[in-house]
Tab-separated table of all heavy atoms in Angstrom:
chain	number	residue	atom	x	y	z
T	28	GLN	N	99.808	-32.488	-99.374
T	28	GLN	CA	100.910	-31.693	-99.883
T	28	GLN	C	102.044	-31.687	-98.874
T	28	GLN	O	101.822	-31.769	-97.675
T	28	GLN	CB	100.459	-30.251	-100.141
T	28	GLN	CG	99.383	-30.151	-101.189
T	28	GLN	CD	98.840	-28.735	-101.293
T	28	GLN	OE1	99.095	-27.910	-100.438
T	28	GLN	NE2	98.088	-28.481	-102.340
T	38	ALA	N	112.930	-29.197	-115.197
T	38	ALA	CA	112.801	-27.778	-114.901
T	38	ALA	C	113.844	-27.398	-113.860
T	38	ALA	O	114.048	-28.107	-112.878
T	38	ALA	CB	111.409	-27.459	-114.380
T	43	VAL	N	118.712	-18.354	-106.424
T	43	VAL	CA	118.553	-17.252	-105.488
T	43	VAL	C	119.885	-16.956	-104.815
T	43	VAL	O	120.709	-17.845	-104.618
T	43	VAL	CB	117.465	-17.542	-104.422
T	43	VAL	CG1	116.099	-17.631	-105.050
T	43	VAL	CG2	117.775	-18.786	-103.645
T	53	LYS	N	126.116	-6.479	-108.674
T	53	LYS	CA	125.506	-5.507	-109.588
T	53	LYS	C	125.983	-4.077	-109.326
T	53	LYS	O	125.487	-3.141	-109.945
T	53	LYS	CB	123.976	-5.569	-109.483
T	53	LYS	CG	123.409	-6.926	-109.827
T	53	LYS	CD	123.774	-7.316	-111.239
T	53	LYS	CE	123.342	-8.718	-111.566
T	53	LYS	NZ	123.801	-9.165	-112.860
T	64	CYS	N	115.900	-1.812	-99.786
T	64	CYS	CA	115.572	-2.693	-98.662
T	64	CYS	C	114.425	-2.127	-97.828
T	64	CYS	O	113.515	-2.856	-97.428
T	64	CYS	CB	116.793	-2.932	-97.789
T	64	CYS	SG	118.035	-3.958	-98.586
T	65	ALA	N	114.451	-0.821	-97.592
T	65	ALA	CA	113.388	-0.187	-96.814
T	65	ALA	C	112.061	-0.236	-97.572
T	65	ALA	O	111.014	-0.554	-96.991
T	65	ALA	CB	113.759	1.259	-96.502
T	67	GLU	N	111.109	-2.330	-99.912
T	67	GLU	CA	110.626	-3.693	-100.098
T	67	GLU	C	110.394	-4.431	-98.775
T	67	GLU	O	109.816	-5.509	-98.765
T	67	GLU	CB	111.623	-4.501	-100.938
T	67	GLU	CG	111.824	-3.965	-102.339
T	67	GLU	CD	110.585	-4.093	-103.211
T	67	GLU	OE1	109.855	-5.103	-103.091
T	67	GLU	OE2	110.345	-3.188	-104.023
T	68	GLY	N	110.888	-3.867	-97.676
T	68	GLY	CA	110.751	-4.529	-96.376
T	68	GLY	C	111.710	-5.692	-96.214
T	68	GLY	O	111.432	-6.641	-95.482
T	69	TRP	N	112.844	-5.627	-96.913
T	69	TRP	CA	113.838	-6.701	-96.871
T	69	TRP	C	114.754	-6.540	-95.669
T	69	TRP	O	115.195	-5.443	-95.342
T	69	TRP	CB	114.682	-6.700	-98.138
T	69	TRP	CG	113.943	-7.115	-99.376
T	69	TRP	CD1	112.718	-7.692	-99.454
T	69	TRP	CD2	114.397	-6.962	-100.720
T	69	TRP	NE1	112.377	-7.925	-100.758
T	69	TRP	CE2	113.395	-7.485	-101.562
T	69	TRP	CE3	115.542	-6.440	-101.292
T	69	TRP	CZ2	113.509	-7.503	-102.934
T	69	TRP	CZ3	115.654	-6.457	-102.668
T	69	TRP	CH2	114.647	-6.992	-103.478
T	70	LYS	N	115.056	-7.638	-95.028
T	70	LYS	CA	115.988	-7.690	-93.897
T	70	LYS	C	117.300	-8.303	-94.367
T	70	LYS	O	117.334	-8.998	-95.381
T	70	LYS	CB	115.404	-8.547	-92.770
T	70	LYS	CG	114.041	-8.113	-92.290
T	70	LYS	CD	114.115	-6.859	-91.487
T	70	LYS	CE	112.736	-6.534	-90.919
T	70	LYS	NZ	112.512	-5.151	-90.742
T	75	VAL	N	116.717	-13.612	-102.844
T	75	VAL	CA	115.822	-13.338	-103.963
T	75	VAL	C	116.529	-13.726	-105.257
T	75	VAL	O	117.736	-13.922	-105.279
T	75	VAL	CB	115.410	-11.837	-104.036
T	75	VAL	CG1	114.599	-11.428	-102.829
T	75	VAL	CG2	116.621	-10.947	-104.190
T	77	GLU	N	117.877	-12.873	-109.102
T	77	GLU	CA	118.497	-11.690	-109.696
T	77	GLU	C	117.449	-10.799	-110.345
T	77	GLU	O	117.488	-9.574	-110.217
T	77	GLU	CB	119.537	-12.120	-110.724
T	77	GLU	CG	120.303	-10.981	-111.347
T	77	GLU	CD	121.380	-11.457	-112.301
T	77	GLU	OE1	121.918	-12.563	-112.122
T	77	GLU	OE2	121.679	-10.692	-113.236
T	85	GLU	N	115.008	-1.063	-109.943
T	85	GLU	CA	114.413	-0.215	-110.982
T	85	GLU	C	113.186	0.521	-110.446
T	85	GLU	O	113.006	1.714	-110.697
T	85	GLU	CB	114.031	-1.054	-112.203
T	85	GLU	CG	113.374	-0.255	-113.308
T	85	GLU	CD	114.226	0.890	-113.836
T	85	GLU	OE1	115.463	0.766	-113.858
T	85	GLU	OE2	113.649	1.934	-114.208
T	90	ALA	N	110.937	5.748	-108.846
T	90	ALA	CA	109.907	6.316	-107.975
T	90	ALA	C	110.181	7.805	-107.745
T	90	ALA	O	111.335	8.235	-107.701
T	90	ALA	CB	109.894	5.586	-106.633
T	94	GLY	N	107.581	10.575	-102.919
T	94	GLY	CA	106.876	9.389	-102.429
T	94	GLY	C	105.453	9.325	-102.923
T	94	GLY	O	104.718	8.376	-102.636
T	103	LYS	N	95.920	1.455	-111.168
T	103	LYS	CA	96.074	-0.002	-111.089
T	103	LYS	C	95.330	-0.576	-109.934
T	103	LYS	O	95.103	-0.075	-108.942
T	103	LYS	CB	97.578	-0.369	-110.999
T	103	LYS	CG	98.282	-0.103	-112.285
T	103	LYS	CD	99.721	-0.555	-112.169
T	103	LYS	CE	100.441	-0.317	-113.482
T	103	LYS	NZ	101.822	-0.676	-113.432
Side-chain angles (χ1 to χ4, degrees):
Q28 298 173 347
V43 294
K53 300 300 174 186
C64 290
E67 298 293 323
W69 291 348
K70 304 287 185 210
V75 296
E77 183 177 331
E85 178 58 33
K103 290 183 179 178

